[in-house]
Amino acid sequence: MLGSLSLLAATPFAFRSFSPSPNNNRFLSSAINHQIAKQLATESGRGSQKLLRRHVFPVYRRVSYGSPISAVMTDDSLTVTTSEEDTQNIGILDIDSALRQFKDHFQYRIKKYVDQKNLFENYEGGLEEFAKGYLRFGFNREEDGIVYREWAPPAQEAQVVGDFNGWDGSNHKMEKNEFGVWSIKIPDSEGNPAIPHNSRVKFRFKHGDGVWVDRMPAWIKYATVDPTRFGAPYDGVHWDPPPSERYEFKYPRPPKPKAPRIYEAHVGMSSSEPRINSYREFADDVLPRIQANNYNTVQLMAVMEHSYYASFGYHVTNFFSVSSRSGTPEDLKYLIDKAHSLGLRVLMDVVHSHASNNVTDGLNGFDVGQSSQESYFHTGERGYHKLWDSRLFNYGNWEVLRFLLSNLRWWLEEFKFDGFRFDGVTSMLYHHHGINMTFTGDYNEYFSDATDVDAVVYLMLANSLINSILPDATVIAEDVSGMPGLGRPVSEGGIGFDYRLAMAIPDKWIDYLKNKNDEEWSMTDLSCSLTNRRYNEKCISYAESHDQSIVGDKTIAFFLMDKEMYSGMSCLTDASPTIDRGIALHKMIHFITMALGGEGYLNFMGNEFGHPEWIDFPREGNGWSYEKCRRQWTLVDTDHLRYKFMNAFDRAMNALDDKFSFLSSTKQIVSCTDEENKVIVFERGDLVFVFNFHSENTYDGYKVGCDLPGKYRVALDSDAWEFGGHGRVGHDVDHFTSPEGIPGVPETNFNNRPNSFKVLSPARTCVVYYKVDESVEETNGINVISVSETLEMDASKQKNAEESAILILPRLIMEIKKIHKKLMIVTQPVSMRNCKKMEQSRKVLKNQQLLC
């Protein structure tokens, strides 16, 4: 039995606990409590997670304070039921039969979820209505005045103070209802709001020991700090701009892509200068870079206000406030609207796994030693994360659910975010929070007393809410445990996320780069690590994110090339063996991660061009320096530096998926992990990928298996000149397949593939082949493609350029082939002479708008 969990759905504050305690008999008779407890004990004794199919609860009636905010008990009775069908038909058990031994667990949590939704329906008007808490709590305009409400049960007295009353709350005392909600209506003054827009406010209350304290309003929509005072406390700001100052969205949300290609970004550190960047600067300067590299999604970190900048945005103090370091709420809206205008969806890195322990500036200021039922957080050790030094939410509390679910709706509706990346999900799912826990894949690790079912139910409710408000939302879980069902719909008994982050992949790369030389790299191990994910649960793969480059670690590029990046990245000199290897492996590592590691891909800001060094936020230990808390865009913008090659390849990777949609394909077959020759061959969609990780060997006539017969050509080549390679692979070569074995008998085929063709596979390269549609080729006369040259064109003219490419005269093609053959003769690392040849070749191709 999940004895450490609350056994019934979270309920309104009036009856949140059903344990037979004298403190909980205010509205329920002891007989009813005793009967429920007896039934639960009986079920527990039978070793079942099943609870009563029917419970009798008293009814609630809404109380209106301008709008419904709570509920009170009446003597009427209402039956809340969970149908047998709801808990018996669990689709996830049909997908994975090994989960059937935990059917009781799934029935238990599904029942809690259904019961909770029923409670919302009966007492609050439904889940979606319940999640409009920001229209009731905090500061809101209501009938010629401003109404302020705050949930603070332990407060003995309360006032609202601020600039508007000279910080004297004696004339603005608040009233408390039976649910611990304090409220006050402040009438307009001569037709103007009594609390002016952009003025400072705080919640002042007296707790049990008679001490008065000032706290940040929990639902405050903007917070600022005096930048001239070191360590100054934050102030809540009443944000209600007049229509002339309110940002109006102009562009619709882009459609949901087949597969997200995510650019993870931190607005504050996105400037090339050692300072904090603004939302508007990011929108105008960085978003065009993201679009140019063919990403379709931006994931914004550190949006929610956090008083400690170096927390990377993960110690949130004010959940409904945008980080004021980078601008105002209207500035953030401008950024999101600008992204939508560029065809980019925007996800928010939302932190509901914990909260900052900052008492002065954050939600923790409302904790003055009261019980967990009257607090946002658990009490004692359960309410504290010892590694993160932060507070942990009580997901079984009615008002906590209101706060968190409303928070999600607020960001979706007010700011037009297109979805979320939920941070710290592993910590939420288990009472041990993943601390000192190694997950082996044993299902007993996921479904036991260690599972925090309250948190699981909250996540199910959250995903249900998000999908009801925005059906095309993208929701991603940061979970390292591999919880089965995390990425399956709530309707099947899953938790409801669209994707989980493939967090083991970056750890694998760091292990290889730190602990293995090139000869020790195992093709089988890499392949298994990249493909090790649950069937029918999608993953976002990434080689490195912000986690891998924070202080104490390095970016992959810096692992590969280290100090030589300071002196060896110029095209004006020959590349050293370290730089040559580093650029080659940087491209291969990121590309095989993308192509084989998941159903979506993520890259952290700057890593697309091999940003050197690491990230270190200003702190006492570094003299409050911003030097390592910025992005050096000049590196990739400087034409004679080799950073441009890695950036161009990143752009080409994304363009390849844009054209062939291989990330969204369910066809993924690894046909070869050649340990001796260090080669991995696989198919994704109808593309054939060949990765040669050998440090020296080039294989001419290397045989690769494939599914479909026909003619294949190069779609993408990491060794191409434009990517800093040596141009060893001919892009105008046709590769014809040969049948292998008996059709339909895999054991007679080559590497279990019915067809094969032979390729040139140079050392440390990856080449992708596509099947030529010969019917189209015959119609058009020529159909030569190259992802890399497509990327040189302006996006708005790309379609016309592709169409005109078909009409290029054969004479021009022959001239370009001559230049290409001359470049292929050179096999040494790229020198100044080779760079000039490459640029000359690219200019000819670009001028003729030829896709080659």
Side-chain angles (χ1 to χ4, degrees):
M1 191 71 182
L2 303 180
S4 60
L5 309 174
S6 57
L7 292 174
L8 293 176
T11 52
F13 181 73
F15 67 113
R16 190 158 295 115
S17 173
F18 282 86
S19 58
S21 163
N23 295 327
N24 298 318
N25 292 341
R26 181 178 178 186
F27 298 108
L28 290 178
S29 69
S30 59
I32 294 176
N33 268 335
H34 176 74
Q35 184 61 36
I36 293 174
K38 180 180 178 181
Q39 180 65 45
L40 294 177
T42 302
E43 292 296 320
S44 177
R46 288 200 290 259
S48 172
Q49 304 293 347
K50 297 178 182 178
L51 302 183
L52 292 172
R53 292 297 177 199
R54 299 171 63 88
H55 289 301
V56 179
F57 300 110
V59 162
Y60 284 76
R61 182 180 67 235
R62 293 178 185 170
V63 175
S64 178
Y65 297 88
S67 64
I69 66 163
S70 192
V72 295
M73 298 293 296
T74 72
D75 293 330
D76 302 319
S77 63
L78 170 72
T79 300
V80 177
T81 67
T82 302
S83 70
E84 193 77 23
E85 184 178 358
D86 286 334
T87 57
Q88 292 296 335
N89 298 329
I90 305 174
I92 193 173
L93 305 185
D94 296 328
I95 296 173
D96 185 354
S97 60
L99 292 174
R100 290 176 183 168
Q101 61 180 310
F102 303 102
K103 183 178 180 179
D104 286 348
H105 176 96
F106 282 97
Q107 289 176 331
Y108 172 73
R109 77 184 194 190
I110 290 171
K111 185 187 186 306
K112 287 199 66 173
Y113 164 77
V114 173
D115 283 352
Q116 191 66 67
K117 289 195 71 176
N118 286 339
L119 291 171
F120 291 153
E121 187 68 35
N122 291 308
Y123 310 143
E124 298 279 356
L127 174 60
E128 291 185 43
E129 192 68 24
F130 180 69
K132 292 181 179 178
Y134 52 84
L135 298 178
R136 305 163 188 172
F137 286 81
F139 294 86
N140 291 284
R141 291 286 303 168
E142 293 181 14
E143 298 176 2
D144 302 322
I146 294 174
V147 176
Y148 171 49
R149 299 188 183 94
E150 198 74 71
W151 181 64
Q156 304 300 308
E157 298 181 48
Q159 306 169 353
V160 58
V161 296
D163 293 331
F164 76 99
N165 62 9
W167 299 91
D168 180 359
S170 58
N171 292 325
H172 293 92
K173 296 180 179 180
M174 303 177 71
E175 295 182 354
K176 182 182 183 181
N177 71 8
E178 62 266 47
F179 303 110
V181 176
W182 294 87
S183 64
I184 184 174
K185 182 172 183 178
I186 308 173
D188 292 344
S189 176
E190 300 180 356
N192 296 315
I195 305 178
H197 161 63
N198 207 18
S199 63
R200 297 176 300 165
V201 291
K202 281 197 173 180
F203 177 61
R204 178 174 292 169
F205 71 93
K206 182 175 73 172
H207 53 78
D209 58 6
V211 176
W212 284 86
V213 293
D214 287 358
R215 294 293 184 252
M216 292 284 286
W219 298 72
I220 198 70
K221 298 179 177 70
Y222 193 46
T224 60
V225 65
D226 184 352
T228 65
R229 294 173 54 200
F230 181 80
Y234 273 70
D235 292 305
V237 174
H238 176 55
W239 192 259
D240 186 21
S244 60
E245 298 178 21
R246 194 181 303 272
Y247 186 85
E248 297 294 336
F249 287 91
K250 304 177 182 65
Y251 301 96
R253 288 182 167 105
K256 187 173 185 176
K258 293 180 181 178
R261 300 188 299 273
I262 302 170
Y263 194 90
E264 184 185 36
H266 186 288
V267 172
M269 60 170 287
S270 65
S271 173
S272 60
E273 302 171 6
R275 61 176 177 84
I276 296 175
N277 210 16
S278 72
Y279 296 123
R280 288 183 177 267
E281 288 173 308
F282 181 91
D284 294 339
D285 300 336
V286 182
L287 285 179
R289 293 179 181 272
I290 300 171
Q291 183 203 37
N293 270 40
N294 296 299
Y295 289 91
N296 56 32
T297 305
V298 182
Q299 180 178 297
L300 293 182
M301 304 173 59
V303 173
M304 306 161 87
E305 187 59 88
H306 48 291
S307 60
Y308 184 45
Y309 189 44
S311 73
F312 231 139
Y314 291 118
H315 278 220
V316 174
T317 45
N318 312 111
F319 285 76
F320 288 82
S321 303
V322 306
S323 178
S324 59
R325 293 180 182 87
S326 295
T328 69
E330 311 312 304
D331 294 332
L332 177 60
K333 293 175 184 177
Y334 171 82
L335 185 162
I336 295 171
D337 203 28
K338 180 68 173 288
H340 288 168
S341 75
L342 297 174
L344 296 167
R345 286 163 61 88
V346 187
L347 307 182
M348 177 179 162
D349 201 344
V350 69
V351 185
H352 283 182
S353 50
H354 64 132
S356 169
N357 69 358
N358 185 323
V359 171
T360 304
D361 302 326
L363 203 59
N364 196 30
F366 286 82
D367 192 335
V368 290
Q370 70 270 35
S371 69
S372 182
Q373 292 184 2
E374 297 183 336
S375 173
Y376 287 98
F377 310 109
H378 287 293
T379 57
E381 291 186 3
R382 190 177 178 189
Y384 177 73
H385 198 295
K386 61 184 180 182
L387 293 187
W388 294 348
D389 188 25
S390 56
R391 297 304 309 274
L392 298 173
F393 287 107
N394 176 6
Y395 301 106
N397 185 300
W398 186 269
E399 293 303 330
V400 172
L401 290 178
R402 188 198 305 275
F403 183 82
L404 295 177
L405 292 169
S406 298
N407 189 236
L408 297 174
R409 182 162 195 160
W410 167 252
W411 293 111
L412 287 176
E413 298 205 329
E414 183 71 15
F415 292 90
K416 307 299 182 186
F417 277 98
D418 301 294
F420 300 100
R421 177 259 199 195
F422 275 72
D423 179 71
V425 170
T426 304
S427 176
M428 299 173 70
L429 294 175
Y430 310 99
H431 293 299
H432 52 63
H433 310 298
I435 299 174
N436 298 324
M437 179 70 185
T438 300
F439 292 93
T440 65
D442 183 340
Y443 280 10
N444 290 288
E445 297 168 350
Y446 307 115
F447 309 109
S448 69
D449 290 353
T451 308
D452 189 339
V453 177
D454 284 341
V456 170
V457 170
Y458 163 67
L459 291 173
M460 294 168 72
L461 290 167
N463 282 307
S464 178
L465 173 70
I466 293 167
N467 287 316
S468 65
I469 296 172
L470 184 62
D472 281 345
T474 299
V475 193
I476 303 168
E478 186 209 31
D479 170 45
V480 72
S481 73
M483 162 75 80
L486 187 71
R488 295 306 301 173
V490 173
S491 60
E492 294 179 357
I495 297 178
F497 287 98
D498 297 309
Y499 301 88
R500 64 152 47 90
L501 289 177
M503 300 182 69
I505 294 176
D507 292 343
K508 175 62 65 174
W509 288 123
I510 295 301
D511 175 50
Y512 268 51
L513 294 174
K514 280 184 175 180
N515 305 315
K516 298 180 185 293
N517 59 45
D518 293 0
E519 291 71 27
E520 294 175 320
W521 286 28
S522 168
M523 302 299 99
T524 302
D525 182 47
L526 286 176
S527 174
C528 289
S529 297
L530 291 167
T531 58
N532 182 20
R533 53 187 183 273
R534 289 187 56 78
Y535 174 68
N536 271 350
E537 295 193 37
K538 297 179 181 178
C539 288
I540 301 294
S541 65
Y542 60 105
E544 53 184 335
S545 69
H546 66 274
D547 284 330
Q548 281 68 49
S549 54
I550 58 177
V551 64
D553 224 323
K554 306 175 184 178
T555 64
I556 285 179
F558 211 57
F559 264 119
L560 289 166
M561 296 174 275
D562 206 68
K563 63 183 180 181
E564 289 201 31
M565 296 190 78
Y566 297 123
S567 58
M569 295 299 285
S570 174
C571 284
L572 304 181
T573 60
D574 288 344
S576 70
T578 297
I579 296 297
D580 196 49
R581 169 185 178 270
I583 292 177
L585 287 180
H586 187 276
K587 292 180 290 187
M588 296 180 72
I589 287 171
H590 286 82
F591 191 31
I592 196 171
T593 298
M594 177 193 197
L596 200 56
E599 291 72 30
Y601 177 68
L602 178 143
N603 168 73
F604 178 67
M605 179 174 64
N607 291 341
E608 69 275 12
F609 64 83
H611 202 287
E613 302 178 322
W614 56 88
I615 299 170
D616 190 8
F617 278 79
R619 53 189 173 85
E620 186 176 3
N622 65 12
W624 304 104
S625 170
Y626 288 84
E627 182 61 32
K628 295 292 190 295
C629 191
R630 61 191 180 109
R631 295 289 88 177
Q632 299 182 54
W633 302 112
T634 54
L635 296 176
V636 69
D637 292 341
T638 302
D639 195 56
H640 71 268
L641 294 182
R642 291 187 167 91
Y643 295 96
K644 66 180 180 182
F645 297 137
M646 290 177 281
N647 189 67
F649 189 72
D650 179 81
R651 188 163 65 243
M653 286 164 40
N654 289 321
L656 186 73
D657 181 59
D658 229 7
K659 187 172 185 65
F660 293 100
S661 299
F662 63 87
L663 274 175
S664 60
S665 174
T666 57
K667 179 183 177 182
Q668 177 175 289
I669 300 170
V670 179
S671 60
C672 173
T673 52
D674 186 343
E675 296 289 1
E676 180 179 356
N677 295 310
K678 300 298 180 188
V679 175
I680 298 176
V681 179
F682 61 91
E683 295 160 71
R684 191 75 189 267
D686 291 330
L687 297 177
V688 179
F689 296 75
V690 182
F691 282 76
N692 181 355
F693 282 95
H694 203 285
S695 58
E696 297 177 351
N697 292 353
T698 293
Y699 308 111
D700 192 1
Y702 193 88
K703 190 175 180 180
V704 300
C706 65
D707 182 18
L708 302 175
K711 179 167 64 177
Y712 286 78
R713 289 184 185 149
V714 172
L716 182 59
D717 169 22
S718 70
D719 197 46
W721 293 109
E722 56 265 36
F723 306 137
H726 305 305
R728 290 168 287 187
V729 177
H731 295 180
D732 57 351
V733 177
D734 292 332
H735 302 269
F736 294 93
T737 61
S738 299
E740 294 288 345
I742 303 171
V745 185
E747 58 268 24
T748 67
N749 300 158
F750 175 73
N751 289 339
N752 290 322
R753 309 310 293 140
N755 295 282
S756 69
F757 59 92
K758 294 183 178 180
V759 301
L760 173 66
S761 180
R764 290 193 182 123
T765 64
C766 47
V767 183
V768 186
Y769 298 88
Y770 75 101
K771 183 180 179 297
V772 177
D773 188 339
E774 297 185 67
S775 62
V776 174
E777 186 179 47
E778 290 173 1
T779 302
N780 295 335
I782 183 171
N783 183 33
V784 185
I785 73 161
S786 169
V787 169
S788 57
E789 283 303 325
T790 301
L791 300 173
E792 295 294 330
M793 301 174 182
D794 183 83
S796 64
K797 300 178 181 178
Q798 183 170 324
K799 183 176 180 181
N800 292 334
E802 291 176 353
E803 292 173 352
S804 65
I806 298 172
L807 305 177
I808 296 299
L809 296 175
R811 181 177 58 80
L812 295 176
I813 300 169
M814 293 302 298
E815 291 297 320
I816 293 166
K817 285 183 178 180
K818 290 178 182 178
I819 296 174
H820 184 68
K821 287 180 180 179
K822 291 180 181 179
L823 293 175
M824 285 182 63
I825 295 173
V826 184
T827 58
Q828 68 270 25
V830 179
S831 64
M832 177 179 177
R833 173 171 57 83
N834 293 333
C835 283
K836 288 180 179 178
K837 280 187 177 183
M838 181 192 68
E839 291 301 322
Q840 179 184 9
S841 175
R842 292 172 67 188
K843 287 178 181 178
V844 172
L845 295 173
K846 186 175 181 181
N847 290 339
Q848 302 301 333
Q849 293 188 327
L850 176 66
L851 304 177
C852 73

